[in-house]
Amino acid sequence: MMDCTNRAAANEAPKFKDTAELLYYLYADLTRLSQVASPNIVLHRFNDPSAPLHGIAAAQAHEEALFEAAGGTLVMDVESVVANSHFGAVLGVIRGQKPGLNDLAMPFCGLWRFVGGKPVEHWENTAGDPSEIASWLATAQCAESVSSLK
């Protein structure tokens, strides 16, 4: 992985040696999507793959809504990354905690397509029933962020 703290502070786009390094950077904080993805990215959501989001603004808003709905506790615990210049796959466990609820821990597989080193398409996949995550997120304090996930 790389440390992009100084570049981010200088408003420079991070540079990566390969797409695997980009994915490790991104999964450390998915709200970084707008820093690395194509402006025209297509995001196939875990809870509604038949209605993909188009464009970086919509994709970024989706990622931020996920984190907000989880009360800022959402973590993508990456177990492995396989990537080349065209495609990438990230396996891991999505985790979150909320007072009074069981902790969220569900395996995921993020699939990516790249053009020119930038993500242009992303498929969110979970091993379990996607409605379990949506239901867990729906207990969030901020109902507006959850409504964007439906």
Side-chain angles (χ1 to χ4, degrees):
M1 278 200 258
M2 66 181 290
D3 177 11
C4 294
T5 307
N6 292 337
R7 286 192 185 126
N11 285 331
E12 294 178 27
K15 304 286 186 217
F16 305 97
K17 68 179 180 178
D18 56 31
T19 55
E21 185 178 56
L22 180 152
L23 290 171
Y24 277 112
Y25 172 79
L26 182 57
Y27 275 83
D29 179 355
L30 281 177
T31 63
R32 296 172 172 169
L33 185 62
S34 64
Q35 295 176 18
V36 298
S38 164
N40 300 315
I41 190 168
V42 176
L43 189 148
H44 305 270
R45 297 173 291 170
F46 74 93
N47 58 329
D48 193 2
S50 65
L53 300 176
H54 295 269
I56 192 60
Q60 181 72 30
H62 170 73
E63 299 301 342
E64 290 176 7
L66 287 175
F67 282 92
E68 186 176 328
T73 68
L74 202 63
V75 173
M76 305 301 283
D77 188 5
V78 173
E79 295 173 347
S80 64
V81 173
V82 176
N84 62 24
S85 60
H86 304 286
F87 300 101
V90 180
L91 301 174
V93 178
I94 184 171
R95 301 182 189 281
Q97 298 177 331
K98 286 188 179 182
L101 294 177
N102 290 333
D103 290 354
L104 175 67
M106 186 175 288
F108 73 85
C109 175
L111 299 175
W112 297 83
R113 186 168 65 87
F114 300 98
V115 172
K118 286 186 163 273
V120 297
E121 198 160 12
H122 173 47
W123 292 263
E124 297 176 334
N125 301 286
T126 61
D129 182 350
S131 66
E132 288 179 33
I133 294 177
S135 175
W136 189 87
L137 291 168
T139 62
Q141 296 172 351
C142 181
E144 294 130 23
S145 65
V146 174
S147 67
S148 71
L149 299 174
K150 294 179 182 176

